[in-house]
């Protein structure tokens, strides 16, 4: 299951989901009658993950020229998060 906000409702996202038959996409939209700040279901998971990645120095700014280099640093950031959690136990 892939959760996305209303901004990700594009043809590229639909094409990527179509190429991977095991994935489903669910667009989390804000209803029109909501006023002010309201936590939407499952959106906080994505925002929290981006916050964790933002703590990594290489992912904090857009230093990389190639998308492949940036994609290589995301798993490294996940490993760093996991190692820190294991060290706390």
């Amino acid at each position: 299951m892939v959760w996305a906000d209303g901004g990700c409702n594009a043809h590229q996202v639909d094409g990527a989901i179509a190429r991977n038959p095991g994935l489903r996409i669910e667009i989390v939209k804000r209803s029109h009658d909501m006023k002010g700040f309201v936590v939407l279901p499952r959106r906080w998971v994505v925002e929290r993950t981006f916050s964790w990645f933002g703590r990594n120095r290489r992912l904090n700014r857009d230093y990389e020229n190639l998308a492949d280099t940036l994609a290589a640093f995301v798993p490294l950031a996940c490993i760093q998060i996991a190692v820190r959690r294991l060290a706390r136990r």
Side-chain angles (χ1 to χ4, degrees), residues 15-70:
I17 297 296
R19 286 190 300 270
N20 297 310
L23 295 178
R24 285 185 320 162
I25 187 165
E26 179 180 325
I27 305 294
V28 179
K29 292 187 177 180
R30 181 183 168 110
S31 68
H32 296 292
D33 59 346
M34 289 183 185
K35 300 274 185 197
F37 176 76
V38 178
V39 177
L40 298 175
R42 304 308 296 177
R43 181 179 276 180
W44 63 273
V45 175
V46 176
E47 298 297 331
R48 179 190 64 197
T49 305
F50 286 152
S51 171
W52 290 341
F53 288 160
R55 291 184 199 160
N56 190 302
R57 187 179 67 84
R58 291 296 294 250
L59 298 176
N60 191 6
R61 301 274 188 265
D62 191 16
Y63 294 119
E64 310 306 327
N65 292 331
L66 301 174
D68 292 336
T69 309
L70 178 64

